[in-house]
Amino acid sequence: MLFQHSFALIPLLAAYLADAHLPSLHHRTLDLLKDPVCVSIENAISSASSVYYPGQLEYQKDISHWASSSTQLSKCTVEPGTPDDVSIILGILASTETPFAVKGGGHATNPGSSSTSGVLIAMYRFSEINYKPESQTVTIGAGLVWDDVYAALAPHNVNVIGGRVSGVGVAGFTLGGGYSWKTNQYGLTIDTVVAYELVKPTGAITTVTSTSDPDLFFALKGGMNNFGIVTRFTLKTFPQTQVWGGVITYTADNIPAVSAATAEFSDKVTDPKASIITTYNFLLGQPGITLLIFYDAPTPPPGIFDSFLAIPSFTKDCKTRDFLSLVKSSPSNATAGLRGIFNTVPLTGFSPKLLAAIVNETEFWGNKLSPATGAFISYDVEPFLPTILTHGASASAYPPSRTPGFLPFNIYYAWALEPFDSEFHDAARESAAHITNLAIAEGQPINGAGLYPNYAIFDTPLTSIYGGNLDRLRSIKAAVDPSNIMGQAGGFKI
């Protein structure tokens, strides 16, 4: 009876708290639940910035990620609107030794890379796009996704070296290197960065260029979030016409033909405007292929893609279109909301034998893992020209060596339930090790090659990413962040 009477009082209590004459009691109740560090930030920042708490819609938006396994419940979220407020926030987090994370677009798959149980800094308000035709550069905010940038630049008939599929954030992508549809022509995204606006761990706000601070400029090109919080990037722009391409899907019976066409493309196509991603997928008990295809002009020359187009397809959406339309044509958001992990192997080519092994891996792990949670298994073959790493005018943290031009092969697993996390992580490691051994056995010089940080699984040793650059990066880190404030954030820590 006591419980019945208690439950009966709940509607009355709710009405009492909601009474228009008693807002102060309601707010005092919420204030008691606020973390003191969050309150300190809330009281110190300007009106350009805001702090949000569990239960608020903005909080939920801030903590959400493309892969649900990267979403954590934070004490609060902060949306800074100015570099000065970022500086204030970093100062409070440093003095209280509070764990934190910095989130740009939220496309990371490594747990804790852009999420935290502490304070989450969500960069959405850094959303400006300022194109300067006289210098052929654009300054973009760290809270944007590449879709926004492409849309803003389209009226000017220019573009940047950014993400290849929809929904990828500017900040993490750029700080990790950045492979683009236009990389064959212009290099990685980091090869096109002119300047970084950076809030250093000490709170100082600076613009980092190749001449203002060569060491820090080197470190930011692939060094992830180890050297402060980047609020804006200035990138080179390049002419952009309409493009040709889209997505073709193939069923299991045509996998051998698509593999043969992929090997031929990787070995023989030298036109820098042509690019593909062949994804070997396993879903609903069946293997298949999704081919992303791109040519940087309204019409491709005869012969480049003929082998793919001649193969019977399940679906086909290839046409002349604007660049943003091509980026959005990829089904990259089909697995949004599932748990996920990436892993990678640096390769120098895709022989028929290696592609056959990748097909075997797709089917083996698909059959083994899918019964547990209806998983999605994907192996993404990304051929580029061997000259892609020759475009950089200066050295960068990643890659540690620019010869030969290693290719960013990606392993991607998605699944539904948290209890299976370790099983999928272990499988991604085992599969990457197996493909590495096969590539070495066929003569690929990949021993000691740097792993692409945006694809590398969370426990990858730093030496496997940065190689011979690691000592220099540690020295720069010690100078820029002597108190290791950025060590309170997640990700690969130098």
Side-chain angles (χ1 to χ4, degrees):
M1 290 292 293
L2 177 60
F3 288 116
Q4 289 178 351
H5 287 304
S6 298
F7 283 124
L9 290 172
I10 289 176
L12 296 175
L13 179 60
Y16 177 73
L17 289 174
D19 192 293
H21 299 291
L22 296 170
S24 59
L25 175 61
H26 178 63
H27 291 149
R28 285 200 301 271
T29 304
L30 290 179
D31 286 344
L32 291 173
L33 303 176
K34 294 180 178 180
D35 182 87
V37 174
C38 298
V39 173
S40 295
I41 293 172
E42 193 172 9
N43 290 334
I45 55 179
S46 74
S47 59
S49 307
S50 300
V51 176
Y52 298 110
Y53 297 91
Q56 295 181 286
L57 291 176
E58 294 90 345
Y59 171 92
Q60 190 60 43
K61 178 195 72 172
D62 288 347
I63 66 169
S64 294
H65 284 70
W66 173 72
S68 61
S69 48
S70 291
T71 299
Q72 287 181 267
L73 296 176
S74 303
K75 293 178 179 180
C76 63
T77 65
V78 189
E79 292 186 11
T82 67
D84 287 331
D85 281 345
V86 173
S87 176
I88 290 168
I89 294 162
L90 266 182
I92 293 171
L93 295 173
S95 65
T96 57
E97 298 183 352
T98 302
F100 68 96
V102 185
K103 178 190 169 191
H107 210 267
T109 60
N110 281 336
S113 179
S114 56
S115 61
T116 179
S117 59
V119 173
L120 178 67
I121 303 172
M123 300 295 288
Y124 295 120
R125 298 191 184 192
F126 289 91
S127 59
E128 71 274 27
I129 302 171
N130 183 13
Y131 172 57
K132 306 178 187 70
E134 65 281 2
S135 61
Q136 298 181 38
T137 62
V138 61
T139 300
I140 57 178
L144 293 161
V145 295
W146 289 108
D147 307 53
D148 302 324
V149 181
Y150 300 149
L153 292 178
H156 304 286
N157 298 314
V158 297
N159 208 347
V160 287
I161 309 307
R164 288 171 286 178
V165 298
S166 182
V168 176
V170 162
F173 180 92
T174 304
L175 291 171
Y179 289 83
S180 167
W181 288 123
K182 297 165 81 76
T183 284
N184 278 334
Q185 300 174 73
Y186 305 111
L188 307 184
T189 302
I190 51 173
D191 296 326
T192 69
V193 177
V194 175
Y196 302 85
E197 182 180 80
L198 177 72
V199 181
K200 292 184 176 181
T202 59
I205 302 167
T206 186
T207 298
V208 182
T209 69
S210 60
T211 54
S212 71
D213 193 332
D215 280 341
L216 189 51
F217 190 71
F218 158 85
L220 289 170
K221 295 199 298 180
M224 309 297 280
N225 66 348
N226 284 285
F227 305 96
I229 298 178
V230 175
T231 51
R232 295 177 178 90
F233 302 84
T234 300
L235 306 176
K236 296 176 184 176
T237 61
F238 304 93
Q240 186 63 67
T241 63
Q242 283 198 305
V243 301
W244 182 92
V247 176
I248 308 174
T249 62
Y250 303 93
T251 52
D253 53 328
N254 287 308
I255 288 176
V258 179
S259 291
T262 299
E264 180 184 34
F265 183 95
S266 177
D267 185 50
K268 295 182 179 179
V269 173
T270 58
D271 187 334
K273 294 185 177 183
S275 189
I276 64 168
I277 305 176
T278 303
T279 68
Y280 295 89
N281 306 319
F282 194 96
L283 180 66
L284 301 176
Q286 293 291 326
I289 288 177
T290 299
L291 176 73
L292 283 62
I293 195 166
F294 171 83
Y295 194 80
D296 198 12
T299 306
I304 290 182
F305 301 117
D306 289 0
S307 296
F308 295 109
L309 298 174
I311 301 168
S313 60
F314 182 65
T315 64
K316 184 184 293 182
D317 175 27
C318 289
K319 60 185 179 182
T320 301
R321 62 211 310 170
D322 62 65
F323 188 87
L324 180 57
S325 169
L326 181 132
V327 167
K328 288 186 172 182
S329 70
S330 166
S332 59
N333 288 321
T335 55
L338 292 176
R339 307 182 74 76
I341 198 68
F342 289 168
N343 204 3
T344 189
V345 179
L347 299 169
T348 57
F350 295 99
S351 67
K353 184 178 179 180
L354 187 60
L355 289 173
I358 291 169
V359 172
N360 287 339
E361 287 293 287
T362 306
E363 295 183 358
F364 173 80
W365 290 110
N367 283 308
K368 185 170 183 177
L369 297 172
S370 289
T373 64
F376 175 74
I377 304 299
S378 184
Y379 288 75
D380 304 339
V381 170
E382 306 178 22
F384 286 99
L385 295 179
T387 55
I388 56 170
L389 299 182
T390 65
H391 297 280
S394 59
S396 53
Y398 171 83
S401 172
R402 288 184 170 252
T403 54
F406 294 105
L407 310 175
F409 172 72
N410 188 33
I411 298 168
Y412 167 47
Y413 295 165
W415 65 99
L417 302 175
E418 184 176 357
F420 295 97
D421 284 6
S422 293
E423 184 176 350
F424 280 85
H425 296 166
D426 289 344
R429 294 186 192 97
E430 185 176 336
S431 188
H434 179 62
I435 293 171
T436 298
N437 290 334
L438 292 175
I440 291 172
E442 73 171 27
Q444 294 201 25
I446 62 173
N447 256 331
L451 274 63
Y452 180 37
N454 286 344
Y455 287 171
I457 197 168
F458 55 87
D459 57 357
T460 300
L462 287 178
T463 52
S464 297
I465 298 174
Y466 298 114
N469 284 341
L470 187 54
D471 286 344
R472 182 181 178 188
L473 290 169
R474 284 174 172 153
S475 176
I476 297 167
K477 162 76 173 177
V480 174
D481 188 11
S483 300
N484 195 26
I485 294 166
M486 296 309 296
Q488 296 166 214
F492 295 112
K493 294 292 94 178
I494 296 172

